[in-house]
Amino acid sequence: MIDNTDVLKEIYTLSQAGKTGTVFITTTENRACHILLENGRVVALSHGSLRGEQVLKHWFNLDIERYSFKPNLKMPLAGRSFLDDDTDIFQFLNVSFEERSSEAAKPVSTSKKRIYRGVEIEETETSTESNKPREKVKKPLRIYRGQILED
């Protein structure tokens, strides 16, 4: 079992690096939890029947078996899963990882080598912290049989 704080540290590191993608978590009960990041901001959470802030309220009750991050993959989550634009999950959970912020402010360059059809390919990814204001994230409309559903 993995400590929930270790997973939060990893999410914080991804957040500070401005990553976009989905964090997949599997609990010891073999239940899935999805955390959607967009440009370093946690925008949506889903775990079983819990959505959004409800997942945060039950965060420390999760027994995490394993987790992974898939960059540039956005899971299609229900509208109730999305957080308000001003919600900071780290403040909500009352955790601080300030010692990590000085490391994350530096440009990060990673190199991944992989083999595709017998040819070695090197992918280089560089990210830097920008001072641009974050875009407002609009929650997607939920449509069922042509009718717009209200949450």
Side-chain angles (χ1 to χ4, degrees), residues 21-23 33-38 41-47 51-53 55-56 75-84 89 137 139-140:
T22 304
V23 176
C33 179
H34 303 103
I35 301 172
L36 185 65
L37 286 131
E38 254 183 38
R41 183 178 168 279
V42 176
V43 294
L45 298 103
S46 172
H47 173 66
R51 303 285 185 258
E53 286 186 6
V55 177
L56 294 175
M75 283 292 292
L77 299 177
R80 296 177 297 143
S81 301
F82 285 80
L83 299 171
D84 293 331
I89 68 163
V137 177
K139 297 179 182 177

Side-chain angles (χ1 to χ4, degrees), residues 104-120:
K106 300 174 187 173
V108 177
S109 179
T110 59
S111 176
K112 297 178 187 174
K113 289 186 180 180
R114 63 185 180 104
I115 296 179
Y116 177 72
R117 294 189 177 181
V119 178
E120 188 174 296

Side-chain angles (χ1 to χ4, degrees), residues 55-127:
V55 177
L56 294 175
K57 290 176 184 175
H58 291 86
W59 178 261
F60 292 106
N61 295 330
L62 294 176
D63 295 326
I64 299 173
E65 180 72 27
R66 61 183 173 270
Y67 68 95
S68 65
F69 175 72
K70 300 293 181 192
N72 301 320
L73 176 69
K74 294 183 184 180
M75 283 292 292
L77 299 177
R80 296 177 297 143
S81 301
F82 285 80
L83 299 171
D84 293 331
D85 290 338
D86 60 345
T87 303
D88 180 11
I89 68 163
F90 306 108
Q91 281 183 335
F92 189 93
L93 294 172
N94 198 23
V95 293
S96 177
F97 305 110
E98 293 304 319
E99 65 277 359
R100 293 265 186 153
S101 64
S102 61
E103 297 171 11
K106 300 174 187 173
V108 177
S109 179
T110 59
S111 176
K112 297 178 187 174
K113 289 186 180 180
R114 63 185 180 104
I115 296 179
Y116 177 72
R117 294 189 177 181
V119 178
E120 188 174 296
I121 299 173
E122 184 173 343
E123 297 174 347
T124 304
E125 183 178 311
T126 304
S127 66

